[in-house]
């Protein structure tokens, strides 16, 4: 699968994720649809969310306990209402959500081969909402390749 090919094609697609509040929303199928629509056969898919209180994650998609464990671990590491934070304009989960997004990241890059995302057997793409209340989150998928 090793091959050098100049990037000759680009496609971009956006979609909105309606979250239920803190937790995960799987976006694998939406990203795969954007890759397929791009026509790129060999390249990369860059996935980005333009928000400061949610993040993107590539993680196991078979057992939801993995994501539940991640949420519990991060809640322990960055608790809501911690007295260390002064930014709480939107409530006790405001600054912790920003810290969580910084720690976990707002973009991912996934290889594309044969017009498909090259994910492992148990891998999925998720938007991780860090706020307690539901939100509408924008995701942009940019596909570059040949």
């Amino acid at each position: 699968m090793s091959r050098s090919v100049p990037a000759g094609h680009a496609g971009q697609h956006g979609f909105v994720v309606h979250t239920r509040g803190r937790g995960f929303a799987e976006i694998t199928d939406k990203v795969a649809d954007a890759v397929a629509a791009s026509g790129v056969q060999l390249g990369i898919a860059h996935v980005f969310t333009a928000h400061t209180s949610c993040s993107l994650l590539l993680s196991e998609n078979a057992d939801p306990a993995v994501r539940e464990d991640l949420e519990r671990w991060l809640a322990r590491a960055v608790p809501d209402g911690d007295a260390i934070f002064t930014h709480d304009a939107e409530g006790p989960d405001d600054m912790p959500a920003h810290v969580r997004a910084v720690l976990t990241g707002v973009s991912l890059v996934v290889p594309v081969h044969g017009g498909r995302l090259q994910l492992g057997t148990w891998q999925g793409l998720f938007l991780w909402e860090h706020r307690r209340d539901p939100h509408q989150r924008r995701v942009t998928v940019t596909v570059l390749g040949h």
Side-chain angles (χ1 to χ4, degrees):
M1 212 161 76
S2 179
R3 178 177 164 199
S4 293
V5 176
H9 185 74
Q12 191 170 73
H13 177 73
F15 57 88
V16 174
V17 178
H18 300 273
T19 72
R20 296 180 180 160
R22 186 168 284 162
F24 296 87
E26 186 162 6
I27 61 171
T28 308
D29 290 343
K30 289 182 178 184
V31 175
D33 290 346
V35 168
S38 76
V40 169
Q41 293 298 303
L42 180 66
I44 59 168
H46 178 264
V47 188
F48 174 77
T49 185
H51 300 281
T52 62
S53 54
C54 70
S55 57
L56 297 172
L57 183 74
L58 193 153
S59 185
E60 178 173 328
N61 65 354
D63 185 354
V66 170
R67 293 179 303 281
E68 293 164 6
D69 288 345
L70 286 169
E71 184 60 55
R72 279 192 299 277
W73 181 88
L74 200 53
R76 183 184 294 170
V78 189
D80 290 344
D82 193 319
I84 194 171
F85 300 129
T86 58
H87 176 77
D88 61 359
E90 297 177 14
D93 67 334
D94 193 1
M95 189 61 205
H98 295 308
V99 173
R100 290 168 175 226
V102 167
L103 292 175
T104 54
V106 296
S107 67
L108 299 169
V109 176
V110 181
V112 172
H113 185 77
R116 299 179 58 193
L117 293 168
Q118 292 299 287
L119 295 172
T121 302
W122 307 114
Q123 289 181 319
L125 305 174
F126 298 87
L127 183 131
W128 192 354
E129 177 63 64
H130 300 304
R131 298 301 305 271
R132 289 181 179 170
D133 292 333
H135 284 80
Q136 292 184 23
R137 303 301 193 175
R138 290 177 296 125
V139 176
T140 302
V141 181
T142 304
V143 188
L144 303 170
H146 181 65

